[in-house]
């Protein structure tokens, strides 16, 4: 199996996404979504969201397997800068089990959502459960 790899599983009504990096001995969760939230969408819409998430993560890690995917133009890079920073902070927050960056993430997402409909959709639909998860951390 090629590393890094993504693990998606369901346990106790929650869908978990975990990753395993080459330098790690075991996988670790990166985010979770309640199944009720997933199935609140029609199947096709849920499949698009989950599929986009999985392909987006894998294409970042395995660029050779997905040539040309996710390579934004210079205008898109500038437009997505706030969103990319928010995603980086989400990753750091989950890895460090901290809620410290929640307000910064929210601000970055709101700024990026002004420019991009897909970011607005992320802010409306995906961010609330991620935020709730982060706010559950003590630090």
């Amino acid at each position: 199996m090629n590393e890094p790899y993504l693990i998606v599983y369901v346990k106790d009504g929650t869908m978990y996404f975990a990753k395993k990096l080459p330098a790690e001995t075991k996988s670790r969760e990166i985010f979770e979504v309640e199944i009720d939230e997933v199935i609140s969408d029609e199947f096709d819409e849920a499949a698009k969201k989950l599929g986009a998430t999985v392909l987006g993560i894998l294409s970042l890690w395995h660029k050779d397997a997905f040539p040309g995917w996710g390579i934004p133009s210079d205008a898109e890079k500038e437009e997505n800068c706030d969103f990319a920073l928010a995603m980086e902070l989400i990753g750091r927050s989950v890895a460090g089990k901290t809620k410290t960056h929640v307000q910064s993430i929210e601000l970055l997402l709101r700024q990026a959502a002004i420019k991009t409909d897909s970011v607005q959709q992320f802010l409306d639909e995906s961010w609330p459960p991620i935020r709730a998860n982060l706010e559950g951390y003590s630090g």
Side-chain angles (χ1 to χ4, degrees), residues 35-137:
I35 290 295
D36 288 342
E37 185 171 332
V38 174
I39 62 175
S40 68
D41 288 325
E42 295 292 323
F43 179 84
D44 289 347
E45 184 62 26
K48 285 178 190 176
K49 288 178 187 176
L50 293 173
T53 301
V54 169
L55 287 174
I57 292 169
L58 291 175
S59 67
L60 286 172
W61 295 339
H62 301 285
K63 291 179 183 9
D64 55 326
F66 302 92
W69 279 22
I71 300 174
S73 67
D74 288 340
E76 289 172 320
K77 284 180 190 173
E78 185 176 318
E79 209 171 80
N80 291 325
C81 184
D82 290 336
F83 184 68
L85 288 171
M87 293 296 100
E88 176 68 24
L89 285 176
I90 289 171
R92 287 182 188 182
S93 296
V94 171
K97 297 194 182 291
T98 180
K99 62 182 174 183
T100 304
H101 303 297
V102 169
Q103 290 181 338
S104 298
I105 295 165
E106 179 108 13
L107 175 65
L108 289 166
L109 289 174
R110 291 197 182 286
Q111 289 173 187
I114 293 168
K115 303 172 195 168
T116 311
D117 290 339
S118 61
V119 176
Q120 182 64 55
Q121 185 176 1
F122 178 88
L123 180 65
D124 294 340
E125 298 172 5
S126 300
W127 172 239
I130 294 170
R131 180 185 180 133
N133 186 47
L134 294 177
E135 288 178 336
Y137 295 139

